[in-house]
Amino acid sequence: MFGGERVFSPEYSDAVVQHANKDQINIDHRPFEYFYAMPGGISKMMLIGPPDRIRLFQQEATALNTVQSEPTYLEILPPNVNKGTALLRLIELVGAEPDQFAAVGDNLNDLEMVGMLRHGVAVRNAHPRLKEAASWVTNRTNDEDAPLEVIEYALGGRNLHGSSVFRDERR
């Protein structure tokens, strides 16, 4: 469970500990009863499990706003909330235009964000659907500093062919 700037779990399974270590976060252990009246409410839930069980849950839970952020993670979000809507709100708050922004992603939880921007970028090892939505796919993976490749380009670097790295300049 996610609430405010904190992450909570009713139990410490091996999967929860692995998630905390992977993302370098602290997870507070709380009983289920705590979540019914959690101060500030729950902003997101995440299920961790085998990929086949995650897919099955997602197929059955069509009334929920779910997104698979990794093969073993399924996030449950409030209706109409995703990284794309959050980025649009940020763009509005700073008084900018979407063409002034780039977004880099690797999985389906980045789909709306990457797909809505002219400079939507997928890393080389991204989910195939994200690569399809992106205007550019990096040469590097997310484990090989792909965002650095995007920054280098934005600061004046060129791709190997000396041309635009974006597939569709009209986006």
Side-chain angles (χ1 to χ4, degrees):
M1 306 285 183
F2 294 74
E5 298 296 319
R6 298 175 67 191
V7 181
F8 305 92
S9 178
E11 66 178 59
Y12 279 127
S13 66
D14 289 343
V16 170
V17 172
Q18 287 175 355
H19 172 66
N21 291 337
K22 178 185 153 302
D23 288 353
Q24 298 178 341
I25 57 173
N26 294 320
I27 298 179
D28 292 339
H29 177 74
R30 299 291 174 125
F32 271 113
E33 295 76 24
Y34 177 81
F35 302 113
Y36 295 120
M38 190 165 88
I42 297 170
S43 58
K44 173 173 83 170
M45 293 174 43
M46 183 164 57
L47 305 178
I48 302 174
D52 58 329
R53 301 280 309 268
I54 294 290
R55 281 191 300 279
L56 179 62
F57 182 90
Q58 191 172 24
Q59 290 168 357
E60 296 295 322
T62 58
L64 298 175
N65 180 18
T66 63
V67 64
Q68 195 167 352
S69 55
E70 293 194 20
T72 58
Y73 296 170
L74 184 68
E75 298 177 22
I76 303 170
L77 301 162
N80 303 312
V81 171
N82 57 60
K83 289 183 180 182
T85 58
L87 181 57
L88 283 176
R89 180 71 176 123
L90 174 65
I91 291 168
E92 177 184 307
L93 286 172
V94 299
E97 294 296 323
D99 279 355
Q100 296 173 287
F101 283 77
V104 182
D106 68 341
N107 221 313
L108 294 177
N109 61 328
D110 302 313
L111 187 62
E112 292 87 357
M113 175 181 69
V114 167
M116 67 177 236
L117 293 176
R118 178 178 179 205
H119 305 296
V121 181
V123 298
R124 188 179 82 213
N125 61 327
H127 189 282
R129 283 181 42 207
L130 186 69
K131 287 181 178 180
E132 188 64 34
S135 58
W136 174 36
V137 177
T138 64
N139 292 314
R140 299 177 190 168
T141 69
N142 57 347
D143 296 320
E144 300 169 332
D145 300 323
L148 180 60
E149 183 178 336
V150 176
I151 293 167
E152 288 169 347
Y153 173 79
L155 295 176
R158 301 184 188 282
N159 69 12
L160 296 175
H161 310 290
S163 61
S164 171
V165 295
F166 293 96
R167 285 191 314 222
D168 182 359
E169 281 297 320
R170 295 167 287 138
R171 259 184 114 171

